[in-house]
Amino acid sequence: MASFPLKIVTPDGVAFDGEVKSLSCRTVCGQVELLARHIDYCTAVGMGEAHITTEDGAVRRAACMGGMLSMVGGKCRLLATTFEWADAIDKERAECSKARAEAILAQKGIDKHELELAEARLKRALVRGSVASRQNR
């Protein structure tokens, strides 16, 4: 299988820069998988699991939340708001975040803004927990 250059950048710096066989991630329109020689493509990234297959066939998983994905001229770029490799996710911290968000959501009388923030926190915690728990698969 052919490979292509992928660069993943976050506000914290470069998370990955190398050749891959595939990239799969959640976009605002659903799951997408990019392979070598993919047509030029640009989309907004959603919240979910991303994974790359490296040239040697290894699969690396990550939690990816928001950003932009493009494939132009055979080069792929992922500019992610948050991108955490599975082995770097603190499962305990993700569980605590989930519990805090659920506690806020269980409260009565919270305003719409607080509700939206708690829902977003819960979604992020669920993605991070799911990716961390699947890291050895």
Side-chain angles (χ1 to χ4, degrees):
M1 179 185 276
S3 63
F4 60 94
L6 169 65
K7 189 168 193 174
I8 302 171
V9 181
T10 72
D12 294 327
V14 177
F16 182 85
D17 190 2
E19 293 286 320
V20 298
K21 290 182 179 180
S22 69
L23 163 71
S24 177
C25 69
R26 169 88 41 205
T27 72
V28 294
C29 297
Q31 195 73 15
V32 67
E33 183 168 18
L34 301 178
L35 304 171
R37 295 184 284 284
H38 194 284
I39 189 170
D40 287 355
Y41 180 77
C42 185
T43 190
V45 175
M47 187 181 303
E49 181 177 323
H51 65 270
I52 64 170
T53 303
T54 59
E55 284 186 299
D56 64 2
V59 176
R60 293 191 65 194
R61 300 179 187 286
C64 182
M65 289 121 184
M68 293 298 296
L69 172 66
S70 69
M71 176 74 107
V72 178
K75 295 179 182 178
C76 188
R77 301 293 178 261
L78 173 57
L79 176 58
T81 304
T82 303
F83 191 90
E84 292 178 272
W85 292 111
D87 57 3
I89 294 174
D90 182 341
K91 276 179 74 172
E92 223 175 274
R93 184 171 164 236
E95 286 297 321
C96 288
S97 294
K98 177 179 174 264
R100 282 194 307 273
E102 288 173 335
I104 292 169
L105 290 171
Q107 294 176 8
K108 295 191 188 283
I110 61 173
D111 65 43
K112 183 178 177 181
H113 180 70
E114 290 283 328
L115 177 67
E116 290 171 351
L117 285 174
E119 287 173 341
R121 287 182 184 128
L122 179 59
K123 287 178 186 176
R124 284 192 303 271
L126 290 171
V127 168
R128 292 176 76 237
S130 173
V131 170
S133 67
R134 293 178 46 158
Q135 88 179 46
N136 293 326
R137 289 185 189 177

